[in-house]
Amino acid sequence: MGLFDFFGGSGPEKALKLKPKVTQKYGDPASRQKAIQQLGEMKYPEAVGVLMARFTITVEPLTTDADEKEHVFELIKGFGKDAIPPIQDFLRKSDQAASWALRLLGELLPEPEIIGTCVDTLTHLSTHYTRDPEKKVVLLHHVTGREDPRIAPAVLPFLEDMSDDVKIAALKALGPFKHEPAREPMLKLLTAEETARRVQTAALAALHDSGFGVQGFREKVEALLVEPYVLDRTGVIRRQA
């Protein structure tokens, strides 16, 4: 008998039925808080999924909202390793609260496994439309600065995202990797007529970090250079002192 088999009187169905109370923004907060506490005591994986939904809403006053979310965080953490699959499922399916999911995984998994979850989720997102770019940005920020060969191929498709914030986050993540397949896409993004100026600035920084040459794009790149960036004789973007 496993951990989730001890609570016969409060099964998965009961956990799922509590979701409307957990996500109730208005009315008596005591009802929401009672449901949260009940879920924390159930020890069913479905309870974790319902508790995660609390991170997707904001209630007034904000001090109550912050306190409740921290309480939910601690309750989920208390599930231990059994919480990992429901959190990963939430991260994959929900467009909201990705930062909370990653924070929880940070308490429950070693960093290489968290990176694997991020890479898997980014790979899924790269082929599925999402209206809100926040989740992509959160995931891209999390993998930025990490040294893992799985990251660059997963990030590369986001140079073509519709959101400028996503493009900028992808450029920041890609630059230090010196990932050769990213050279031409970064140059195309930099030199495209429709590219916003702030994205062009991020592209210049990423190309500088990568050390890639601008062969095939030199004339267009020269026209877009801004301080502190210059192009040396070999076609590599340098930063002036």
Side-chain angles (χ1 to χ4, degrees), residues 45-215:
E46 288 80 4
V48 174
V50 176
L51 284 169
M52 291 296 297
R54 176 59 184 85
F55 296 127
T56 68
I57 65 165
T58 301
V59 302
E60 298 290 344
L62 293 180
T63 51
T64 296
D65 185 69
D67 288 344
E68 280 187 21
K69 284 176 176 172
E70 287 298 332
H71 181 48
V72 169
F73 180 88
E74 292 300 324
L75 288 174
I76 294 174
K77 210 168 77 169
F79 282 76
K81 298 296 183 182
D82 294 303
I84 295 170
I87 296 170
Q88 290 173 324
D89 186 62
F90 174 87
L91 183 61
R92 181 180 177 87
K93 294 179 179 178
S94 175
D95 286 341
Q96 299 172 285
S99 57
W100 283 101
L102 289 174
R103 184 180 161 196
L104 278 161
L105 290 175
E107 296 285 340
L108 299 168
L109 284 175
E111 187 60 28
E113 291 185 42
I114 300 173
I115 295 299
T117 296
C118 289
V119 166
D120 290 345
T121 308
L122 286 168
T123 301
H124 174 77
L125 286 172
S126 69
T127 58
H128 292 76
Y129 172 75
T130 51
R131 184 175 59 183
D132 188 348
E134 179 185 358
K135 179 178 178 179
K136 298 175 185 176
V137 172
V138 168
L139 288 164
L140 290 166
H141 283 171
H142 188 84
V143 300
T144 298
R146 317 283 183 176
E147 295 183 3
D148 191 303
R150 297 171 293 177
I151 294 173
V155 170
L156 182 54
F158 293 96
L159 294 181
E160 299 180 5
D161 196 85
M162 294 181 65
S163 165
D164 284 350
D165 288 338
V166 173
K167 290 173 184 171
I168 290 170
L171 285 162
K172 288 180 179 178
L174 276 172
F177 273 101
K178 309 183 191 313
H179 184 57
E180 178 60 33
R183 186 190 82 90
E184 190 166 322
M186 286 197 293
L187 285 164
K188 286 182 176 179
L189 177 59
L190 169 63
T191 57
E193 290 184 5
E194 66 274 14
T195 298
R197 189 62 193 169
R198 65 193 187 100
V199 178
Q200 289 177 333
T201 300
L204 285 170
L207 286 161
H208 166 266
D209 291 342
S210 70
F212 290 142
V214 301
Q215 291 79 6

Side-chain angles (χ1 to χ4, degrees), residues 8-66:
S10 300
E13 297 79 9
K14 174 70 178 296
L16 296 173
K17 287 179 180 178
L18 287 172
K19 186 172 182 179
K21 290 186 177 181
V22 171
T23 55
Q24 179 181 315
K25 296 180 66 172
Y26 307 106
D28 185 1
S31 175
R32 184 178 60 245
Q33 292 161 5
K34 180 181 178 181
I36 288 170
Q37 192 60 41
Q38 284 179 301
L39 286 160
E41 295 169 358
M42 283 183 184
K43 304 305 177 187
Y44 280 88
E46 288 80 4
V48 174
V50 176
L51 284 169
M52 291 296 297
R54 176 59 184 85
F55 296 127
T56 68
I57 65 165
T58 301
V59 302
E60 298 290 344
L62 293 180
T63 51
T64 296
D65 185 69

